[in-house]
Every structure is written in structure tokens, then in C-alpha cells.
Amino acid sequence: MLRGLIGLLHLLPLDFGSWLMGTLWRLIAPRLRRHERAIRHLRAAYPAKDAAEIEAMARAMWMQLGRTFAESLMVERIIRAQRIENKSGLLLEAMKSSGKGVVFVSLHTGNWELVVLPTVDSGIKVAGVYQRLKNPRVDDYVSLVRRDRYPRGLFVKGADVGRKLMRIVREGGAIALLADLRDRGGLSVPFFDRPAPSTVFPALLARGNDASLVAARVIRKQGVRFLIEAEAIEIPQTSDRDADVAEATRNIHRLFEKWVREYPEQWMWAHRRWG
């Protein structure tokens, strides 16, 4: 079924295939339970907005997620069509010339499947982590198409992956992580004025290995056109490492919140971010 969908999408014009999948998601997703969760989160984040505005934001989000799903199967076509504007080049060059390890963090906004592409163009070899899919054939296919974007390795999320990533950063390499999901055992940090359990792993890796911490995002500009930006995250360097890690984690999520507020319909409101 996946291969059939991929074949269909590659027969369609790029913009139309993305729009079609987005429209289908926008029509179907509001009938599912995750829509109710997205509505709750949007109401809490934007208490001044009325019900119609919240509903419109949620439906726009589903449109974006449907587009992202389709586009994740057409990344090479997006690259060939030169639909990505990269504004992170100067920062990436500085990271590369520093000789230090780099921990990249991003969030589920715009089309996050594209966020690592500037590192490939700049010659920074990045390792990544992903959640194994239940269907092994689908998992094999998805891993295969992502492989070239992560030349230092694409590791399955698990108990031993932390040691592998730590070794890469300690040796001056780079890793890329999505850091906006809930972490039950993580640090509770403010996110849209509510405590959100968040992973400290990126800040811990960077602080413990004298590495740089960089946040990046993808902005959908119009249709299948994107802008990629990046910003260095401050890591305190005091005698209290735990406090430094906590503050760096808060810095990450302060920036994430700022970014989400700029384009709220492009973020994934339907996941259990706050519990």
C-alpha cells in the first residue's frame, strides 16, 4: 500500500500531490479522537481565541500534517525542484570550523523531514534517531530513504542509543534530535504557560561534552516551498552542571514556543505534549 501511494504521488505534480494529501487529512482527521486533544491544547495555549478560530487552527494543522506526510515520500523531488531556501548556512559553517561536537535540536513544525538537509550541503555528517515502525517492511523502506541524510548513522530509539550518540559528540561529531515531544521522566519546563515534561538529553550531551547546541526549524512558506533557519542556544557554564542543563533545556523550549507562536498552524498540536 505504501509503495502504491508513493507511485501515485510521483505520478502527480508535486504541488498537487501535497495539496491532495493535505486536503484528505483535513477532511478525515477532525473525526478522530486526536482532533479533540488538539482542540484542548489550542484552547489552553490561546485562551483569548473563540471556538471558531480554534477549530480553524486545528484544521489548518491537519492540512499541514497531511502535506508533510506526502512530502516525506517525495523529498528528492523537493530537492531537485529547488523548493528549499536555507538561511542557516553561516551558522553551520561556523559550527563546522569550530571543530567541536554539535547537538542539533528541532521540532515538529513546517516539514521537519527536511530540517537536516542543510547539514548535508555543508558537509556536516550528522547522526539521527528514529522510532522503529511496527511494520518491518515499511520500517526498512523509511530507513532506506532517510539514510543519505544521516551519514553518521540513523539509530533506532532504544536503551543503548544514548551511548552511541554520546560517543559521536565526544569525538567532535554532530547529532540531530527532535526535542519537542513529551518525556515522562524529563524536566518540567514552561511551555505556553504550562509545565511540560521535556527531555534534557540534548542539553546534557552538549554541556557534558563542550559541544555546541543549535536549534533549527522548517517554515512552510507557500505550498511546497520552505525556509530553514537555525539559532545557537546558550548553555550556561557554572560549577552546577545540573542547573546548567536545566537552564539550557528551558532555553530550547523558550525558543520553540516563540517559533510555534509565529506559525501555530504548522506545529503538531495533537500529541500529548503536556501529559
Side-chain angles (χ1 to χ4, degrees), residues 141-191:
Y141 177 82
V142 171
S143 300
L144 180 65
V145 298
R146 286 173 169 168
R147 184 176 57 188
D148 291 343
R149 296 173 232 162
Y150 298 91
R152 287 296 294 261
L154 184 59
F155 303 110
V156 177
K157 188 177 180 180
D160 64 336
V161 72
R163 289 194 297 271
K164 295 177 181 177
L165 298 179
M166 187 171 293
R167 187 180 308 115
I168 291 171
V169 174
R170 187 180 297 127
E171 293 171 355
I175 66 167
L177 304 167
L178 288 165
D180 62 327
L181 296 177
R182 177 184 62 164
D183 183 345
R184 291 181 180 179
L187 177 71
S188 183
V189 302
F191 192 65

Side-chain angles (χ1 to χ4, degrees), residues 25-36:
W25 277 50
R26 188 179 185 277
L27 292 172
I28 295 171
R31 303 174 185 272
L32 306 177
R33 283 187 295 178
R34 288 196 172 197
H35 185 69
E36 298 174 6

Side-chain angles (χ1 to χ4, degrees), residues 87-137:
K87 286 194 172 182
S88 64
L90 291 177
L91 179 57
L92 293 184
E93 286 301 320
M95 295 296 104
K96 184 178 179 181
S97 62
S98 73
K100 298 169 59 175
V102 186
V103 178
F104 291 101
V105 292
S106 189
L107 68 167
H108 292 83
T109 191
N111 184 329
W112 58 91
E113 290 286 344
L114 308 176
V115 73
V116 76
L117 292 177
T119 66
V120 178
D121 294 338
S122 65
I124 298 176
K125 296 181 178 180
V126 173
V129 180
Y130 80 104
Q131 181 70 47
R132 187 188 296 277
L133 301 174
K134 292 182 179 180
N135 185 309
R137 291 184 179 181

